[in-house]
Amino acid sequence: MDSNTKRIGVIGPGLMGTAITDRLLESGYSVAIWNRTKEKADRFLQRGAIWSENPISVCDRVIISLYSSDVVAQVIDQMHDGLHPSQVIIDTTTGEPEDCRSMGQQLAALGVQYLDAPISGSSEQTRRGEVMVMVGGNPAAFEGCEDIWPVLGKSVFYTGERGSASRMKLDNEPRTWPESNSSGRRTVVRQGNRSFTRSSTGSSPGQCCIFKDDGC
C-alpha cells in the first residue's frame, strides 16, 4: 500500500469521528484531520495526525462524520476546490437517502466517488470495532476501500446504489441467519425482501465479514 493510500482524511472528529480516527491511527494510517473547532483535534495531533484546512485536497480517500446531510453538503462546498478525480468520499453520517443520491451525482460529475456508509452502533462500539457498516455507491469504489472496512466495523454490508445504505439504516437493520447451500454452510442476511450473502472475511484488525446484496 503506497503512502497516498495509507493517508486518510477525516472530517468531523465528534463522538463517532473520534472513534473512527482512533481506529485509523491504531491501524497505522496517516490521518489528515479537520474540524470546525481545531482544539477538538489536538489529542490526535499529539498522536501523529496532521491538521489540514482541507483534507479533501491532500487525501485520495476521505471519511466524513458529521451531524446531517445538510452539514456534509456545506463542508464539501467549503472544500470544493480540493476535490479531484478518482477520489473516494466515505460519508458515515446518517443522512437522508435522497440527499446522498444527489450529493453522489454531483460529485460523480467531477470524477469523485461518493459512498454513503452509515454506522449502526455507538461510538464506544465503533472504537472496539464491533459495529455494523452499511455502504451504498459504486462497487469498484467499495472494493477499492476493502482495507478500510475492517477498521470501521465487524460486519460490512454493500447495499447497492448511492443512498441505499442510508435507506436501509433508516428503514430497519438486517438480521443474520446461517443457511446451507450445496457447498455447505453460508451466512445469509435478510432485510425485508432483500438478502445478503457473505462474500469475504477481512483480516485484522478484527474479523470483518463483508456481505453483498444478492441483487447487486
Side-chain angles (χ1 to χ4, degrees):
M1 187 181 298
D2 61 36
S3 58
N4 287 337
T5 302
K6 201 66 175 173
R7 183 175 60 225
I8 306 290
V10 175
I11 294 175
L15 287 176
M16 190 63 76
T18 291
I20 290 171
T21 306
D22 279 336
R23 296 277 296 172
L24 289 168
L25 290 171
E26 289 167 3
S27 300
Y29 286 87
S30 171
V31 175
I33 196 166
W34 178 89
N35 190 62
R36 291 187 188 277
T37 306
K38 185 177 180 181
E39 289 73 18
K40 289 187 176 180
D42 283 347
R43 56 171 288 202
F44 300 116
L45 303 183
Q46 294 169 4
R47 293 172 57 193
I50 62 170
W51 174 261
S52 174
E53 291 294 338
N54 188 349
I56 289 176
S57 70
V58 296
C59 299
D60 291 335
R61 299 187 295 177
V62 179
I63 298 174
I64 298 177
S65 184
L66 295 170
Y67 179 72
S68 67
S69 293
D70 286 343
V71 178
V72 172
Q74 291 170 13
V75 171
I76 289 179
D77 185 62
Q78 174 184 331
M79 300 185 182
H80 184 273
D81 289 347
L83 293 168
H84 50 272
S86 302
Q87 189 171 42
V88 180
I89 304 293
I90 302 172
D91 185 6
T92 66
T93 306
T94 300
E96 293 296 327
E98 187 55 44
D99 291 339
C100 294
R101 285 191 289 270
S102 176
M103 201 176 317
Q105 289 171 357
Q106 294 174 35
L107 291 171
L110 301 173
V112 177
Q113 295 297 335
Y114 171 89
L115 300 174
D116 59 307
I119 292 173
S120 176
S122 69
S123 58
E124 282 306 312
Q125 289 172 316
T126 299
R127 188 169 282 105
R128 296 194 297 267
E130 299 172 351
V131 296
M132 177 189 302
V133 186
M134 291 151 276
V135 187
N138 181 279
F142 172 78
E143 292 174 2
C145 294
E146 61 182 359
D147 59 300
I148 296 178
W149 306 131
V151 178
L152 294 187
K154 186 174 183 180
S155 298
V156 177
F157 294 84
Y158 177 67
T159 58
E161 64 182 9
R162 290 186 295 261
S164 60
S166 295
R167 171 58 61 194
M168 173 177 281
K169 183 173 182 185
L170 292 174
D171 285 349
N172 53 74
E173 291 163 9
R175 298 181 179 181
T176 305
W177 291 270
E179 290 191 355
S180 61
N181 61 12
S182 58
S183 61
R185 301 288 286 178
R186 68 175 182 172
T187 301
V188 175
V189 175
R190 300 197 187 284
Q191 190 265 346
N193 61 359
R194 301 170 68 184
S195 63
F196 298 79
T197 301
R198 185 170 69 187
S199 62
S200 63
T201 301
S203 57
S204 60
Q207 293 297 316
C208 175
C209 295
I210 307 295
F211 296 85
K212 292 188 177 179
D213 188 335
D214 292 340
C216 292

